[in-house]
Amino acid sequence: MTYIPATWNISELVQGIYQAPIYHSLFEVLLIIWIIRLLFVKSSKPHRSELSEQEKEELIQEWKPQPLVPDTPEDDPGLQAFIGNNVTSKIAKLVTINGEEYLNMASMNFLNMIGDQDIENAAVQCIGKYGVGSCGPRGFYGTVDVHLELEEELARFMECEEAALYSYGFATIASAIPAYSKRTDVIFCDEGVSFAIQKGLQASRSKLMFFKHNDMDDLERLLKEQERDDIKIPKKAGATRRFLVVEGLYVNFGDICPLKKLVDFKYKYKVRLFIDESISFGVLGATGKGVTEHFGVDVNDIDLITASLEYSLGSIGGFAIGSKFVVDHQRLSGLGYCFSASLPPMLAVAAKEALHKMENNPSILENLRQKCQSLYDQLANLNGLEITGDSMSPILHLRLAKPCQERKDSLAKLQQIVDKVRESSVILTVARYLDQEELFLPPPSVRLAVNCDLSDSEVGKVVEGLKRACHEVFA
């Protein structure tokens, strides 16, 4: 407020008020009014009427809780599918279900590590020393020496500085993405990525920009849009990190990412490149290192690689590899690493033994590729179905050449084919998704998983079973 000397008279006070700026006088008047209001105006509490007992009872009777799960129609194909609830064998190339033996083309046991005697012996010896679990996260006395040994082996094999081991394959990429990308960042992502990647994207709360599956022109369009936005707001651009997330070999489509083009975009548009190699690890490349080896790309050009141990190596868990600086960040920020009980030691030992087998016997990789190519070629002209995916992929999808108008009808028709093929003692599966949660729901398909130990006669058995089933269903 305006300072008034004690020697001023009334006329000088009035003159001082007139000389003061109008905004200054107005502010003082408002301040005086606000102080008076605080002194004399009582705080008012909202009137709340009490409900009578009868009204309370009526509200309770009318209330209906939301269902825990959405209603599922009784004719949903997923409920009608064959469920082998009495498996009495190892889930290997051949599996016994309800007392009958089937050729297993449903499990992603690409290198047939499940049931390998050497791996089982190593796991049994480990149980004798460590037991069957750790009962604690890695940072809370859950780290056992075999975890560190497996991490060292994976880093050495992939020719990277460091690896971090996760206890669950799904949680690996789902934890790695939000460990780096935050709310203010931007992620460019393929529409065809797996559900695990989608969960990681959502957990990051970053701005998501999806490009059409494996469409590099569409990706570059989005990158250029971001580049123009960055030029408009340089201050915001300086604080925004950009990530590009893809799969090495897409589980929902069976095709391979164009890695060399992605690396070009990484340097041209200054993005960080993350690749999930859960399917391509142990499949692509001369020694099974994955998509980087397949394309001859330096692994150091990729900012982060994640993969699962649950497919080619036949164990449980996953791993992330990269530079020491990048991987160490996950040990404090990767939620699946920090808060999940560590991988049971026997499974770490099993994965390590499987990795050594893959290294020492690269012929199994070549054998897998031959079986993939053979099956792909023989399934190319199925009546009513079309094959999608790369000829080198151990995952193939068979989709209806003429899909039904309703998705459930397409699924029902594909399930008929699966049921017919089962009569030939071959088990397949219709690819299943959480329809309400998938960001981009893939088309309905029958999924085949190739095993490297399939014989030519067994490949022929699968093909003949499918041909016979298609002839009956599409007749």
Side-chain angles (χ1 to χ4, degrees), residues 16 105 110 121 220 270 321 328 363 371 415 419 446 448:
M105 297 294 292
F110 304 141
N121 291 340
E220 189 165 24
K270 305 299 186 291
I321 59 168
D328 276 349
S363 62
K371 301 306 177 187
Q415 187 61 51
D419 293 339
V446 173
L448 289 81

Side-chain angles (χ1 to χ4, degrees), residues 364-384:
I364 61 175
L365 301 172
E366 181 59 31
N367 197 35
L368 175 64
R369 284 188 281 271
Q370 291 177 0
K371 301 306 177 187
C372 293
Q373 184 70 57
S374 175
L375 189 61
Y376 184 91
D377 292 341
Q378 295 184 58
L379 294 178
N381 298 313
L382 283 177
N383 178 34

Side-chain angles (χ1 to χ4, degrees), residues 296-315:
V297 172
D298 189 343
V299 70
N300 295 309
D301 287 331
I302 316 301
D303 294 280
L304 186 71
I305 294 176
T306 61
S308 173
L309 301 171
E310 298 167 7
Y311 303 124
S312 292
L313 299 189
S315 184

Side-chain angles (χ1 to χ4, degrees), residues 60 228 264 393 408 436 452:
I60 292 173
R228 288 192 292 267
D264 290 342
S393 171
K408 66 176 183 179
Q436 303 302 318
C452 69

Side-chain angles (χ1 to χ4, degrees), residues 11 14 22 61 88 118 199 304 333 345 356 360 372 381 450 473:
S11 61
V14 173
I22 184 63
Q61 293 297 325
T88 56
D118 294 331
K199 293 292 107 177
L304 186 71
S333 301
H356 289 166
N360 298 329
C372 293
N381 298 313
V450 183
V473 172

Side-chain angles (χ1 to χ4, degrees), residues 443-458:
S445 65
V446 173
R447 190 187 69 210
L448 289 81
V450 183
N451 188 301
C452 69
D453 282 349
L454 288 173
S455 65
D456 292 340
S457 62
E458 288 170 334

